[in-house]
Amino acid sequence: QVQLKESGPGLVQPSQTLSLTCTVSGFSLTSYNVHWVRQPPGKGLEWMGRMRYNGDTSYNSALKSRLSISRDTSKNQVFLKMNSLQTDDTGTYYCTTLGAFDYWGQGVMVTVSS
Amino acid sequence: DIQMTQTPSSMPASLGERVTISCRASQGISNYLNWYQQKPDGTIKPLIYYTSNLQSGVPSRFSGSGSGTDYSLTISSLEPEDFAMYYCQQYDSSPPTFGAGTKLELK
């Protein structure tokens, strides 16, 4: 059974760094890509970046200077780190496989506030 | 980046009604188009991939079509659980981009 589950702090202070973990099961990170997608409250979906099956990464150009995605295949985990957080980074963050093999986590709500 | 224009932004509809949601890309996307359903609790369910292929477990009342820049999602007969947000997404070129969404509401 394929599952993705996001975890991380619900509250982050402005200017600080967000660290999220996506723990997957039911498939191998060396076979499928994992993406991060976010959604501000009441708004649409924004693609943030991707960890490819071969370890390569790509990022949304609007976030590239602040964003880093990495993984630990032995733990079946993909990590997102984004620095210099501001209030408009508040939202729900999802990890997903996208594409024909398409599964999503439940999302984790992150609030940026002092 | 490819812009995805989704219409309408909201749609009141009745149980049993047939509805169609449209999605237009700012350039041709060679059928690399997915559709998603999002419930109020935030749960996102993939419905269709590569324009017209149903994801496993998706009811056959859902269908997708299109080519070039114009794509659509049709629900042939609305059930109570279909009232939700719907998003299209292109993956022809990076970054993948989403439409702004269509809210399907009970009339």
Side-chain angles (χ1 to χ4, degrees), chain A residues 74-94:
Chain A
S74 68
K75 294 183 178 179
N76 294 320
Q77 293 179 325
V78 179
F79 308 105
L80 176 147
K81 286 190 188 301
M82 189 163 69
N83 59 31
S84 304
L85 254 63
Q86 300 303 320
T87 54
D88 58 3
D89 292 312
T90 291
T92 301
Y93 288 70
Y94 297 92

Side-chain angles (χ1 to χ4, degrees), chain A residues 39 45 47 94 98-100 102 104, chain B residues 36 38 42 44 46 55 87 95-96:
Chain A
Q39 183 175 40
L45 299 163
W47 182 82
Y94 297 92
L98 286 184
D102 203 336
W104 290 65
Chain B
Y36 298 92
Q38 185 176 34
I44 294 176
Q55 290 283 355
Y87 293 94

Side-chain angles (χ1 to χ4, degrees), chain A residues 7-24:
Chain A
S7 59
L11 181 65
V12 180
Q13 294 198 336
S15 79
Q16 297 302 301
T17 297
L18 172 66
S19 295
L20 297 176
T21 299
C22 175
T23 303
V24 310

